[in-house]
Amino acid sequence: MRYYIADLHFCHENLNTRMDCRGFESGETMNEYMIAQWNSRVRKRDEVVILGDFCISKKGEVANAILERLNGRKYLIIGNHDHFIANKQFDPSHFEWITHYREINDNNRKVILCHYPVMCYNGQYRRNAKGEPKTYMLYGHVHDTYDEYLIDDFQRQTRASTRPVLGKSGEEEMVSIPCQMINCFCMFSDYVPLTLDEWIEVDRKRRDGMKREDDC
């Protein structure tokens, strides 16, 4: 099984009272909860793609110790806070690969992986024979901030747009643009890595409930 998650920010104690307001009594308590949540789902042979900002500590040995406690085969999309990977004490063998950007296949769907949201991603117009989206862009970085609401606005506008394509009849048809960008922020899943299908459902429900200024 393959799972995805973003912006765990291990050791980032300030996020308990600022920005995310995670509410744990300490950074250590937060770390222990996230490890338990991860291991409640992930098994030894499972794969987990971390979409950046895994650990705020710059000490390689700190990241090593956490990674050794997490189940599964791990893959890292580098985030802006992942400074530990440059530390001499960090053991990169904890990850199957470490990169800034990657495109993979997940059950016949293309998945674009990047810490930062990519508005015009490769394959965003593609649909399968049933008219379903064939490509998904998974990102992190923005957490649940104002930037995420801007991204939501962009997606709504893009999905409401249409463009001409050549149909099966040989004539042009106006079709909408799928635009499937999913924020895999860890708090949206209670710190549990999720499959692509699970993230699609979590994202759909969350965006349906997002309160916008024009809804007030």
Side-chain angles (χ1 to χ4, degrees):
M1 192 68 71
R2 180 183 295 148
Y3 301 106
Y4 307 88
I5 196 163
D7 297 293
L8 289 156
H9 282 254
F10 276 101
C11 305
H12 201 164
E13 186 165 2
N14 286 348
L15 290 185
N16 288 316
T17 55
R18 299 174 58 186
M19 190 172 165
D20 294 348
C21 296
R22 298 188 180 188
F24 295 99
E25 62 183 23
S26 68
E28 182 178 350
T29 302
M30 179 182 73
N31 287 355
E32 291 300 319
Y33 183 79
M34 292 195 296
I35 291 170
Q37 289 295 87
W38 176 298
N39 289 337
S40 72
R41 168 63 63 88
V42 181
R43 297 295 176 257
K44 183 177 180 179
R45 299 183 66 178
D46 290 335
E47 299 179 337
V48 185
V49 177
I50 302 165
L51 290 154
D53 287 2
F54 171 72
C55 180
I56 196 70
S57 175
K58 296 181 180 180
K59 297 180 179 180
E61 60 269 31
V62 172
N64 291 338
I66 295 170
L67 287 163
E68 288 166 2
R69 296 180 61 191
L70 296 175
N71 293 339
R73 300 168 60 194
K74 295 167 280 289
Y75 304 77
L76 180 65
I77 295 292
I78 301 170
N80 53 301
H81 289 297
D82 290 319
H83 302 296
F84 67 88
I85 62 175
N87 187 272
K88 292 182 179 180
Q89 299 301 316
F90 170 62
D91 180 3
S93 69
H94 285 301
F95 293 104
E96 302 296 318
W97 48 249
I98 300 173
T99 186
H100 286 278
Y101 175 94
R102 182 154 293 204
E103 299 180 7
I104 63 174
N105 180 278
D106 190 315
N107 290 329
N108 296 316
R109 294 163 295 187
K110 176 182 282 190
V111 180
I112 309 299
L113 304 169
C114 187
H115 179 60
Y116 311 99
V118 179
M119 301 298 198
C120 298
Y121 57 88
N122 184 21
Q124 75 178 77
Y125 295 105
R126 299 188 64 192
R127 296 177 182 269
N128 61 23
K130 297 180 180 179
E132 300 165 336
K134 290 186 67 174
T135 309
Y136 292 83
M137 196 280 124
L138 305 188
Y139 65 94
H141 187 58
V142 297
H143 296 224
D144 191 16
T145 63
Y146 182 69
D147 287 342
E148 173 61 7
Y149 282 76
L150 294 177
I151 294 167
D152 185 65
D153 283 339
F154 172 82
Q155 288 206 80
R156 291 174 187 266
Q157 292 176 33
T158 303
R159 291 174 181 174
S161 303
T162 58
R163 69 186 186 104
V165 298
L166 193 63
K168 293 181 180 179
S169 64
E171 298 182 0
E172 283 192 344
E173 301 175 359
M174 299 301 293
V175 298
S176 61
I177 303 171
C179 195
Q180 300 293 319
M181 299 174 62
I182 299 177
N183 184 354
C184 297
F185 178 40
C186 61
M187 290 186 72
F188 293 156
S189 65
D190 194 17
Y191 309 95
V192 177
L194 301 180
T195 66
L196 176 58
D197 287 314
E198 288 172 332
W199 274 117
I200 291 170
E201 183 62 14
V202 167
D203 187 73
R204 182 189 65 78
K205 290 180 178 179
R206 182 178 65 82
R207 294 191 187 281
D208 284 348
M210 286 179 74
K211 188 173 182 180
R212 297 151 53 80
E213 290 185 2
D214 54 9
D215 294 332
C216 297

